[in-house]
Amino acid sequence: MPDQPVRDLTDPDWWRSAVVYQVYPRSFADGNGDGIGDLAGLLDRVPYLAALGVDAVWLSPFYPSALADGGYDVDDYRDVDPRIGTLDQFDRVVAALHAERIRVVVDIVPNHSGSGHVWFQAALAAAPGSVERARYVFRDGLGADGELPPADWQSHFGGPAWTRVPDGQWYLHLFAPEQPDFDWSNPEVREEFHDVLRFWSDRGVDGFRVDVAHGLAKDLSEPLASYPAISRDAVRSDGTDVLFDRDEVHEIFRGWRRVLNEYDPPRAAVAEAWAPEGRLALYARPDELGQTFEFDLVQEPWDADRFRVRILDALDFARRAGASTTWVLSNHDLVRHASRYGLPDDVDLGAWLMSDGAEPAEDREAGLRRARAAALLLLALPGSAYLYQGEELGLPEVADLPFSALEDPVHVRTGGRRKGRDGSRVPLPWTADGPSFGFGAGGAHLPQPGWFARYAAEDQAGDPHSTLSLYRGALALRASLPVDFTAEFPAGPSHVVEVVRPGWRSVTAFREPAALPEGEVLLSSAPIGPDRRLPADATAWLRDPA
Ligand code: NOJ
Ligand code: CA
C-alpha cells in the first residue's frame, strides 16, 4: 500500500477533492453504554477513521435537541447535547482528529430551530406582531375565526405545515411541528447565523454542512400563495418557486461566504440542496458555499447509461458554475446503497420498507458487489466524495425494524403510511458479538439485527478481501494518485463506464463482464478473471502503461 501523503491542514482548497466521512453521532459509537452514540465513543474511534484514510469527518447534529427529528431540531446552536457530551469533549474530538490531519465539518440547520430554542419559546410567550414572533413565520389563520391554516402548505413529513398556538395564530414548519421555520427576510436571523458560523469556526471547525439550503428564502408575501403538495419534481426551475430554490437564497449564502472567508484557511461549506436539475451547482459557486451534494446520482438505478449521464451532467453544471463536484451514494436520509442496488430497478423504496423488506426480496450479494463497484467509481471521479458511516462495511439497510422501535417522525406524521429513515441509522456493528455488536457496553437505541455480526468492522479489518479493506485501499491509493479536476470518459461498450484521470483510469462493468485495457491493475472491487476480464458489477483502477 502506498504511504499516505501528509494532508496539509493549511491548504485552502482541501475540500475540493476531500473524502469526507459522515458520522451520525447517536449511531456511531457509544462511549458510556447508555445506548446512544456520543463524543466519547467517537474519540475512541479516531484511530479507526485515521486507518480508513478519510480527509474529513462530517458530524450530523450533536446539539441539544428534543430529538423530534434525530437532532435536526436544534434547541441551542452553540452547545452539545448532554446525552452526547460536552463542549470540552467536542474540543477534544477536534484536537484528536486534527492531530490525525482529519478535518471537521459540522452540520448547521438554518431553516428551522427546535421548538425548545429560546427564541421560539420567547415567540410563544410574546404577542402577535412582536419582534419575537418576527424571527419565525407566524400568521393569522383563515376562516371566520382564523380556525383554518394561513395557507394549504404541507409538511415534508406529512400533514399541514402550520400549527396553531393558544392565542389563535399559526406558525410555519416545513418539517415536524417541533421544527418551526425561521423567517430569513429578518436581518436578526441572518446575523444570528453569521454568529453561529463564527462560534464553531473559532473552535477550529473546518467546514459546515448546510441543512435544507434550498429552503431558506420563501415567498411570504400576502396573500400567501397556494402550495398544496411538496414534490421535488414540481419545484419551479426559474428561481421563483414559492418555497424552494428561490433566487434570493443565493444572496444569503454570499453573506455566509464573506463570514467563512474571515478565516484562514477559509472555512468550507457544502449545501444540502434539493433543487431542479442544473440549479444545484449554483449553491457551489465560488462566492457561495463552494460545494453542493450531487443528489441526482442517488436517484438512479445500477445502470451504466444513467450513471454516465448523471456524472457528465454534474461535471458540466459544476464547471459552468465555476465549482467542483461533490459525490454521494448514501446518507442518513436515504436507503443504503448496498440495498438499493440489490433491488429491482423499478422498486418503490418506500413500499419496500413498508413490507419490512420482504417484497421484493433483496439480492444481498448483487447489492454488495455493486456497492463496492460504485464506491470505486465514485472515488475515481474528480471532486470530493462523501461517505456515510457503515458503507465502508458494505452494510445494507435494516428494512425490517419493528414499527414499535421507529424513531423517525415520518412514521407517525404520515399516519403509518411511510416507515421513515431509521433503517440507515441503526448503530454500527464494530464486533461480531458482545452487547450491541461493540457499539457500546449496553444496548443500542435502534435494534440491530443478528446478521449485523457478518459486517463487523473488527473482522473486516483483518480480512484483505473485505469491503473495509477495499475502502482503505482505495482511499490510500486516491491520496497517492495524481488528481486534477478533469476527467475523460472515452466511448466504449454501453455497459462500461471508464474514467480517465492523469496517468490512471477506472473501469466499471455494469451487469456484464468487460475486457480491461492495458495497464497495471492497482485495485479492483472483485477478482479479475483470466484474460484480464473484469467481472460483471465490478470496478478496477489501472495505472496507464508508461
Ligand atoms: C435534511 C436532513 O438530512 C434530514 O435528516 C432532516 O430531517 C431534514 N433536513 C430537516 O432538517
Ligand atoms: Ca452514550
Side-chain angles (χ1 to χ4, degrees):
M1 205 58 61
D3 279 347
Q4 194 99 340
V6 176
R7 285 179 289 262
D8 173 5
L9 285 186
T10 62
D11 173 8
D13 274 328
W14 66 272
W15 46 272
R16 286 188 185 278
S17 49
V19 176
V20 186
Y21 182 92
Q22 180 188 358
V23 167
Y24 191 76
R26 288 174 187 78
S27 300
F28 185 66
D30 175 15
N32 66 356
D34 67 354
I36 299 169
D38 47 38
L39 294 180
L42 173 55
L43 203 53
D44 287 346
R45 301 293 174 183
V46 169
Y48 173 83
L49 297 169
L52 181 55
V54 298
D55 301 306
V57 165
W58 150 31
L59 290 175
S60 271
F62 48 81
Y63 311 107
S65 164
L67 296 186
D69 180 19
Y72 284 90
D73 46 323
V74 177
D75 285 344
D76 183 349
Y77 290 91
R78 296 178 184 79
D79 206 351
V80 176
D81 190 305
R83 286 164 291 191
I84 290 190
T86 61
L87 272 177
D88 229 39
Q89 270 176 325
F90 179 86
D91 294 341
R92 265 180 273 154
V93 166
V94 172
L97 288 168
H98 280 174
E100 294 291 351
R101 313 254 151 217
I102 297 174
R103 292 179 175 82
V104 182
V105 172
V106 298
D107 222 304
I108 184 162
V109 188
N111 180 68
H112 44 265
S113 69
S115 53
H117 191 283
V118 284
W119 273 11
F120 192 68
Q121 288 304 313
L124 290 180
S130 58
V131 292
E132 288 84 356
R133 287 213 173 167
R135 295 162 179 154
Y136 294 90
V137 184
F138 279 85
R139 290 291 181 278
D140 293 330
L142 304 176
D145 295 310
E147 73 283 6
L148 300 172
D152 57 359
W153 306 353
Q154 299 296 300
S155 135
H156 277 287
F157 294 158
W162 300 90
T163 289
R164 202 171 193 195
V165 301
D167 62 30
Q169 276 210 311
W170 298 74
Y171 69 89
L172 175 67
H173 52 86
L174 288 185
F175 294 88
E178 296 87 351
Q179 293 168 292
D181 282 49
F182 286 115
D183 183 346
W184 272 86
S185 65
N186 183 336
E188 208 189 339
V189 171
R190 296 190 185 209
E191 267 318 302
E192 169 68 1
F193 275 91
H194 286 180
D195 199 63
V196 170
L197 292 173
R198 290 191 184 102
F199 178 87
W200 294 104
S201 299
D202 289 341
R203 288 200 109 82
V205 155
D206 304 279
F208 297 87
R209 177 267 190 192
V210 185
D211 191 60
V212 202
H214 58 305
L216 308 192
K218 300 177 180 80
D219 178 5
L220 298 172
S221 57
E222 304 281 350
L224 297 173
S226 171
Y227 206 93
I230 289 185
S231 127
R232 188 188 178 209
D233 297 336
V235 170
R236 276 191 228 153
S237 54
D238 62 357
T240 68
D241 194 75
V242 176
L243 295 181
F244 302 108
D245 189 43
R246 291 178 66 76
D247 282 337
E248 304 97 87
V249 82
H250 296 291
E251 187 213 315
I252 297 174
F253 294 130
R254 282 192 280 272
W256 285 35
R257 175 46 58 199
R258 285 191 291 274
V259 174
L260 301 172
N261 284 355
E262 290 166 8
Y263 292 85
D264 182 21
R267 299 323 192 213
V270 55
E272 186 235 7
W274 294 86
E277 214 199 0
R279 289 185 58 91
L280 262 179
L282 301 181
Y283 295 80
R285 286 178 288 196
D287 60 344
E288 295 192 36
L289 298 176
Q291 291 193 305
T292 184
F293 291 119
E294 176 43 58
F295 282 138
D296 288 326
L297 192 60
V298 300
Q299 333 257 352
E300 297 295 352
W302 180 245
D303 177 275
D305 286 332
R306 299 308 309 157
F307 266 61
R308 200 179 300 105
V309 166
R310 290 309 195 182
I311 291 169
L312 290 175
D313 278 357
L315 287 167
D316 187 43
F317 290 134
R319 188 183 44 76
R320 282 195 264 162
S324 42
T325 33
T326 304
W327 306 103
V328 56
L329 291 169
S330 279
N331 67 32
H332 64 296
D333 293 328
L334 301 169
V335 170
R336 284 182 177 277
H337 64 275
S339 288
R340 291 203 312 268
Y341 299 148
L343 288 162
D345 289 351
D346 56 356
V347 74
D348 175 332
L349 291 169
W352 177 69
L353 286 175
M354 284 306 289
S355 73
D356 277 358
E359 277 300 321
E362 175 187 1
D363 181 342
R364 283 255 166 93
E365 243 172 74
L368 181 60
R369 231 171 30 231
R370 294 168 183 169
R372 290 165 57 105
L376 287 199
L377 167 53
L378 205 82
L379 290 167
L381 295 172
S384 150
Y386 279 67
L387 313 178
Y388 178 48
Q389 65 177 41
E391 73 165 82
E392 79 280 17
L393 306 175
L395 206 62
E397 184 83 0
V398 182
D400 57 353
L401 283 174
F403 288 89
S404 60
L406 298 179
E407 296 171 356
D408 189 348
V410 163
H411 183 61
V412 173
R413 300 276 309 158
T414 59
R417 272 175 293 110
R418 278 159 58 195
K419 197 161 182 184
R421 302 159 291 178
D422 290 313
S424 65
R425 302 175 179 182
V426 175
L428 294 188
W430 293 95
T431 53
D433 43 31
S436 62
F437 299 106
F439 167 64
H445 65 99
L446 282 167
Q448 300 158 300
W451 51 260
F452 257 35
R454 294 204 296 276
Y455 295 86
E458 187 179 66
D459 294 356
Q460 292 201 35
D463 171 2
H465 304 295
S466 71
T467 302
L468 179 57
S469 296
L470 180 71
Y471 270 73
R472 284 180 175 175
L475 297 195
L477 261 175
R478 181 182 155 107
S480 72
L481 288 167
V483 287
D484 58 15
F485 292 96
T486 61
E488 279 170 42
F489 296 82
S494 66
H495 70 287
V496 172
V497 174
E498 183 171 351
V499 190
V500 177
R501 307 302 308 277
W504 63 288
R505 65 190 60 212
S506 161
V507 180
T508 304
F510 286 72
R511 295 182 195 263
E512 281 172 57
L516 281 179
E518 279 178 46
E520 177 201 353
V521 176
L522 298 168
L523 185 71
S524 64
S525 67
I528 308 294
D531 303 327
R532 294 175 64 83
R533 261 180 108 64
L534 181 64
D537 299 330
T539 297
W541 289 3
L542 306 138
R543 197 189 303 282
D544 288 344

